[in-house]
Amino acid sequence: MAFQVTKEITPQALVARMKKGEALTIVDVREPDEWDAGHVAGAKHIPLGQLQDRLDELDAKQETIMICRSGNRSGLACELLNEKGFDVVNMTGGLLAWTDELVRG
């Protein structure tokens, strides 16, 4: 696999879309302990290692924004899903670049 992400969004642009009230599909691919430490409100949690087995939980036609800690794992998730025909967007910088509130627990 060649690491190529065709669509990206910054954390700031994602926050702006959320504050406009857009109905977004956001998937967090971090590990459970990372998720519990804080995640984006409304995000779905599917650890990267489980993504292949949980594709049926996602709509290939719906734009899906992938997030992780730094943007690397979410980039890999985008590549995997893109190859399967999903409409995916990688959040650049991950939650390290996130400045809005997070849900704990």
Side-chain angles (χ1 to χ4, degrees):
M1 286 195 297
F3 185 71
Q4 276 188 316
V5 176
T6 53
K7 296 196 303 189
E8 296 179 328
I9 189 169
T10 65
Q12 297 77 16
L14 178 55
V15 168
R17 288 180 65 183
M18 291 171 71
K19 289 188 188 283
K20 283 184 197 172
E22 283 188 51
L24 302 169
T25 300
I26 303 168
V27 176
D28 187 326
V29 297
R30 297 175 303 146
E31 293 301 311
D33 60 325
E34 294 173 293
W35 168 265
D36 290 341
H39 55 270
V40 174
K44 179 176 190 64
H45 184 223
I46 304 178
L48 182 59
Q50 297 177 15
L51 191 58
Q52 184 76 33
D53 296 329
R54 295 176 63 183
L55 294 177
D56 61 332
E57 297 178 35
L58 303 173
D59 181 351
K61 293 176 180 69
Q62 173 82 32
E63 179 186 72
T64 303
I65 300 167
M66 308 302 292
I67 61 176
C68 68
R69 185 183 71 85
S70 67
N72 291 327
R73 282 176 284 179
S74 56
L76 290 171
C78 284
E79 185 176 357
L80 182 139
L81 292 173
N82 191 46
E83 288 176 353
K84 297 191 177 302
F86 284 78
D87 180 9
V88 288
V89 180
N90 187 32
M91 188 180 83
T92 59
L95 289 181
L96 290 175
W98 188 261
T99 57
D100 207 51
E101 292 182 40
L102 293 173
V103 176
R104 308 277 179 206

